[in-house]
Amino acid sequence: MVYNIRAVDNSDTPMPHRKSAFIRDIHALHFGKFLIFLPIVSGALLALPFFFGALWPIAFVGLVPFIVFIRLFRGSARALFMRGFAGGLVYMGGVIAWFLNAAPAEWAGISEPAIGWLLVGAVWLVAAVILALCIGLWSLAAKYMQKRDFGDIIVVPALFVVFEYARAFFFSIVSAGSLDSTLVGAHWSQGFLGYAVSGNDIILQGAAWGGVYFLSFIGATVNVGIAHAFFSSWKRGVASVILVGILLAASGFRANAMRDTAPAPDQKEQGFVAAAIHTEFPSFFRLTDEAFAQRGKAMEEIITQTADAYKPALIALPEDARFLFYLNGESDVFAERAFGDREVLLIDSARTETREDVFSVAYSWNTKRESVNYQFKNFLVPAGEFLPYLISIPLSLFGGESGRDAVLSFSRGRGYTRGKSLGAAPFMNTSTGVLFCSEIFSPQLYRRLVREKSAGILVNVASQSVFSGKQLDKQIIQMARVRAVETGRYFIRSGNATPSFILDPRGNIIAWKESLAGAAVGTVFPRTDQTPYVRFGPWVVGFSFAVIFHSLWRTRMRARTVHGSVLRAKESDSFEA
């Protein structure tokens, strides 16, 4: 590929501004040799905050090399897409590297380690490729729509947000399995830039106004502003930096205003103590009766000790704890022994089988009212709780007998059917919204619990025993903080082989437990207010679409004006002749 370095930016620069054109040529010469590597560098930088949360400042500059590449590149559209796709592959492959920690997949009933590694590796690679496709398409759209003026500071971030939304939606379609297991929608939000910038406590509060999409828009705007300053004359560069500073200051001001003026917990609503139980049980494919009894006994001791020490009113157990099944009809005896006369909401969950389907079900048991509220898991993880067609069909067709056996074994042991609705359990003059492990990925499900079911407390029950590393834990914490601020609710997470914690509505950690069995205990307050994000949803996505359509309309009108001027000039020349 040949790069026309001298012609990079002179075409749109007026003659009096030769100094700024010269500066741009120096920049082009500096990056010319390494231009094709800039998207890869950008992808690596953007992935870092998802490994190390303290590196969140990188998120405000990580996209700059990518934007520089898009502006300088002078190849074909196909070549531009492939370079953007390569950068996206590094970015998304790094973000979801925790997939590989699930190998060799004995938890899925796959006895052959080689098949397990092949399956996990294939799932990771296919998922990274699917997610990277949208980043390649974003690079094409950004190249086409950039005007190399101040408008880019709004248009390019708007494109970035739209393609993040499209990426989450597209992934749910491509990774689909049966209709009974797939929830289509923009739920797979892993790798959103907004989670990376949420490490800044002030910027994080912006999630209450527009969700994770607003945080992504802020991060992308800063990156584009810095890149714009890089290509401008010193006066325009200073103006770009000032504009970005104003946007950041405005965002910070609104975030601080939200922190200072957010309605305090209603004093009429009494706060209560909540406990998120933490366990460290290993993964299993089929739980033996002996192991089931041992786990039940261990949880009974933890619950009893926690109840004696802290008197919690709400106790959340990790995903698939099956504690109520362990009690086997003696729940009333246990409640009287552990809680006495106190009213307690005990949240348990279990794999529940019917004649035709297998569900993950959360049971919210009120010990005094003797009522149980049920919540079925809606958002299932592809290749974790069902096999996508993209994996099962090739394995069945080309994997031989071992491949077919792996698909059959997975379907029998890990194949789940999703729930079709959301619900909240009434408790303490409020309601508690419970979702499962992977449902924290979705920017919509917890919002719907607050908006549609008036949930005053949010709970997430999780188990990550199939993963050997801690990368996913770090991303879960990022997402949990954003979910808490988005909804303005206390957020309780109980985990097996993953941290248990409690967050306040501003995303601050008020209780934490990991490594050893026990409980994260803290006081929570039911909330009734609704944040702008809960009320209006992902309006930032709609705003971004409007910005894009307006930019396209302006381009079309400008082209018509130029075309009309050319025609009038030709008519005038013809008349004079």
Side-chain angles (χ1 to χ4, degrees):
M1 182 173 295
V2 178
Y3 300 102
N4 186 1
I5 300 299
R6 292 298 302 175
V8 166
D9 263 336
N10 290 345
S11 60
D12 64 343
T13 304
M15 289 300 293
H17 292 282
R18 300 306 300 169
K19 183 176 180 180
S20 60
F22 172 76
I23 292 174
R24 286 196 294 271
D25 284 344
I26 294 298
H27 293 158
L29 288 170
H30 182 67
F31 285 108
K33 295 181 180 179
F34 308 102
L35 189 63
I36 61 175
F37 298 106
L38 291 184
I40 296 175
V41 171
S42 199
L45 290 175
L46 290 172
L48 282 177
F50 295 95
F51 284 87
F52 310 100
L55 297 181
W56 61 264
I58 292 178
F60 288 106
V61 296
L63 200 59
V64 171
F66 214 139
I67 298 168
V68 170
F69 162 79
I70 291 171
R71 178 147 181 176
L72 294 180
F73 189 76
R74 288 296 181 269
S76 65
R78 179 179 178 275
L80 174 60
F81 170 79
M82 292 306 298
R83 301 299 189 275
F85 170 77
L89 194 61
V90 173
Y91 179 16
M92 290 294 105
V95 169
I96 64 171
W98 54 268
F99 276 35
L100 301 175
N101 294 330
E106 294 177 355
W107 52 270
I110 299 175
S111 57
E112 290 290 336
I115 295 293
W117 277 102
L118 178 64
L119 178 62
V120 172
V123 169
W124 169 76
L125 181 60
V126 169
V129 167
I130 293 171
L131 296 170
L133 287 173
C134 289
I135 297 180
L137 292 173
W138 168 76
S139 64
L140 280 176
K143 182 69 175 180
Y144 172 75
M145 294 195 64
Q146 65 176 354
K147 300 296 186 296
R148 304 183 183 183
D149 56 22
F150 283 121
D152 288 351
I153 298 179
I154 299 297
V155 174
V156 177
L159 277 170
F160 191 84
V161 169
V162 165
F163 275 94
E164 276 196 335
Y165 181 85
R167 187 173 79 217
F169 204 104
F170 179 63
F171 187 83
S172 72
I173 297 175
V174 179
S175 64
S178 66
L179 293 177
D180 289 334
S181 59
T182 305
L183 179 64
V184 177
H187 300 290
W188 190 269
S189 65
Q190 285 226 314
F192 276 20
L193 185 62
Y195 295 129
V197 304
S198 69
N200 182 295
D201 290 338
I202 295 179
I203 297 298
L204 169 63
Q205 307 311 314
W209 297 94
V212 66
Y213 298 105
F214 185 51
L215 304 186
S216 290
F217 190 90
I218 293 173
T221 300
V222 174
N223 277 275
V224 175
I226 293 173
H228 186 79
F230 177 83
F231 284 102
S232 301
S233 64
W234 72 270
K235 291 182 179 179
R236 293 178 63 190
V238 169
S240 298
V241 172
I242 291 175
L243 178 59
V244 170
I246 291 173
L247 291 173
L248 269 179
S251 301
F253 174 78
R254 292 183 69 90
N256 272 319
M258 203 286 294
R259 289 172 64 97
D260 296 336
T261 64
D266 191 344
Q267 298 301 317
K268 297 180 181 179
E269 297 288 349
Q270 183 179 3
F272 54 84
V273 177
I277 302 299
H278 176 76
T279 56
E280 288 288 344
F281 298 134
S283 63
F284 62 89
F285 175 59
R286 286 190 175 90
L287 191 63
T288 65
D289 292 340
E290 182 181 0
F292 174 71
Q294 291 175 350
R295 293 182 180 215
K297 183 64 175 178
M299 280 186 288
E300 183 177 4
E301 292 178 358
I302 296 172
I303 294 171
T304 301
Q305 292 172 2
T306 303
D308 290 342
Y310 302 102
K311 304 294 189 294
L314 185 152
I315 299 176
L317 301 178
E319 183 179 15
D320 203 22
R322 311 186 188 187
F323 182 67
L324 292 179
F325 292 87
Y326 163 77
L327 294 178
N328 193 25
E330 297 184 358
S331 55
D332 292 339
V333 176
F334 168 77
E336 184 176 355
R337 183 175 68 251
F339 311 131
D341 295 332
R342 292 184 293 112
E343 181 182 3
V344 175
L345 185 69
L346 182 67
I347 299 173
D348 189 20
S349 57
R351 171 192 170 99
T352 304
E353 300 184 16
T354 65
R355 290 183 178 180
E356 299 179 353
D357 300 304
V358 179
F359 299 92
S360 279
V361 184
Y363 303 92
S364 299
W365 172 44
N366 190 309
T367 60
K368 285 302 178 184
R369 297 185 181 181
E370 298 182 356
S371 61
V372 177
N373 179 274
Y374 301 90
Q375 172 60 49
F376 293 84
K377 187 172 185 178
N378 285 260
F379 179 51
L380 303 177
V381 176
E385 292 163 317
F386 71 92
L387 272 184
Y389 291 136
L390 204 59
I391 299 294
S392 62
I393 292 177
L395 271 178
S396 299
L397 293 179
F398 308 111
E401 186 175 351
S402 297
R404 289 188 290 273
D405 288 345
V407 172
L408 182 61
S409 179
F410 187 98
S411 299
R412 289 176 176 175
R414 301 288 301 188
Y416 286 82
T417 300
R418 71 175 184 89
K420 303 300 190 293
S421 61
L422 296 174
F427 181 67
M428 292 281 189
N429 298 321
T430 184
S431 57
T432 303
V434 182
L435 293 179
F436 288 82
C437 185
S438 58
E439 292 177 310
I440 200 174
F441 296 170
S442 173
Q444 286 294 326
L445 294 180
Y446 277 112
R447 172 186 169 267
R448 287 180 55 197
L449 277 176
V450 175
R451 177 71 174 170
E452 300 172 10
K453 304 300 179 181
S454 300
I457 299 289
L458 300 179
V459 178
N460 183 267
V461 296
S463 178
Q464 292 172 193
S465 57
V466 302
F467 300 105
S468 57
K470 295 295 183 182
Q471 184 196 359
L472 179 56
D473 291 342
K474 297 174 182 178
Q475 296 183 31
I476 289 295
I477 295 167
Q478 291 174 331
M479 285 186 258
R481 297 182 73 213
V482 173
R483 299 289 94 83
V485 177
E486 282 178 342
T487 56
R489 295 294 185 270
Y490 281 84
F491 191 95
I492 303 167
R493 188 175 195 260
S494 58
N496 175 57
T498 182
S500 296
F501 52 82
I502 301 176
L503 306 176
D504 70 11
R506 297 184 178 94
N508 299 314
I509 298 173
I510 62 175
W512 179 273
K513 183 65 179 179
E514 66 175 326
S515 299
L516 300 176
V521 182
T523 301
V524 299
F525 293 85
R527 301 289 292 257
T528 57
D529 56 303
Q530 293 188 354
T531 64
Y533 177 71
V534 168
R535 293 177 183 175
F536 305 115
W539 61 267
V540 175
V541 177
F543 169 78
S544 298
F545 271 113
V547 168
I548 294 169
F549 289 141
H550 179 263
S551 178
L552 291 172
W553 177 80
R554 284 189 61 190
T555 301
R556 184 180 180 87
M557 292 299 102
R558 193 174 299 171
R560 284 185 176 181
T561 301
V562 172
H563 182 66
S565 299
V566 171
L567 289 179
R568 285 192 295 272
K570 288 183 178 180
E571 291 175 357
S572 177
D573 292 343
S574 176
F575 178 78
E576 291 177 358

